[in-house]
Amino acid sequence: MTTRVLLADDEHLIRGAIAALLDLEDGIEVVAQVGRGDEVLAAVEEHRPDVAVLDIEMPGMDGLSAAEQISSQCKIVILTSLGRPGYLRRAMAAGVSGFLGKDASAEELAMAIRKVQSGGRYLDAELAAAAMAAGDSPLTERERDALRLAADGATIARIAAELHLTEGTVRNYLSSAMTKLNAQNRLEAIRTAQRMGWL
């Protein structure tokens, strides 16, 4: 039985190389390729892959958000060049079954695809160890939401409107996040949270 695969990566050369290598593997067929995270859902609905292989950083929508949209329709493997510990935890919460670095070999990726297709999990050992060592995010969901919007350049007023909060509450969430991350300012808090994969 052939495993049907969707590839999503914004780097055309990387995506094409991965597709060519996977097509050489017995029992794996790349049925669709997309270059943006916001194209994943439509491609999954159109092509019905068994496994979606998603880059974590893509324009339009990141791979973890795309994974949340499609987790009931197919198995998911996340590829990342960013070994941030928080990403692994977020990926597992999003329904991802496989998580490995872009430095993995084509054989390792094929093995991960086969394993998740058969109902198992495949986790890069180094990324899993880093995630365990880093611990859970100290941020609440609202603090993360406020920081994420601030990272996109949103003003306090826009963050408040988008989260349906008062401006004072937004300032409190941002201040709390800065304290928890031992940051001197919003920018430092954002950088720390991004480095740890908590945003």
Side-chain angles (χ1 to χ4, degrees):
M1 183 173 154
T2 299
T3 299
R4 297 167 50 82
V5 174
L6 163 80
L7 284 179
D9 193 308
D10 62 320
E11 297 179 60
H12 185 74
L13 182 61
I14 302 281
R15 187 175 70 243
I18 292 171
L21 291 169
L22 287 177
D23 279 338
L24 296 173
E25 293 284 333
D26 288 335
I28 295 178
E29 176 189 5
V30 176
V31 295
Q33 299 180 43
V34 297
R36 295 177 52 90
D38 54 5
E39 296 172 341
V40 171
L41 179 59
V44 165
E45 290 173 346
E46 180 180 346
H47 297 282
R48 302 284 180 211
D50 300 304
V51 178
V53 177
L54 309 177
D55 182 15
I56 208 162
E57 292 288 328
M58 292 184 284
M61 178 184 298
D62 66 69
L64 294 177
S65 298
E68 290 170 348
Q69 290 186 336
I70 64 170
S71 62
S72 65
Q73 299 178 58
C74 63
K75 305 288 186 182
I76 303 162
V77 174
I78 292 284
L79 284 180
T80 182
S81 56
L82 307 167
R84 296 176 181 159
Y87 282 168
L88 178 58
R89 290 182 188 278
R90 283 184 56 210
M92 296 298 105
V96 170
S97 298
F99 194 90
L100 66 159
K102 279 190 172 179
D103 59 348
S105 66
E107 294 80 17
E108 187 176 6
L109 176 57
M111 185 170 36
I113 289 169
R114 290 185 181 103
K115 188 163 186 174
V116 302
Q117 171 57 17
S118 67
R121 288 197 182 272
Y122 191 94
L123 304 176
D124 179 286
E126 288 184 27
L127 292 175
M132 290 173 60
D136 291 329
S137 170
L139 302 173
T140 66
E141 183 178 344
R142 283 301 203 181
E143 290 165 348
R144 267 194 314 275
D145 291 343
L147 272 181
R148 190 176 295 116
L149 290 168
D152 291 339
T155 63
I156 297 290
R158 186 170 142 232
I159 295 170
E162 201 151 323
L163 297 180
H164 307 290
L165 301 169
T166 67
E167 291 182 24
T169 301
V170 169
R171 283 188 192 89
N172 288 341
Y173 281 134
L174 291 172
S175 176
S176 177
M178 290 179 343
T179 299
K180 288 178 179 180
L181 299 176
N182 197 26
Q184 299 298 313
N185 54 51
R186 245 185 269 167
L187 183 57
E188 190 177 329
I190 290 165
R191 286 181 179 155
T192 299
Q194 288 175 331
R195 185 179 69 248
M196 296 304 291
W198 294 332
L199 284 187

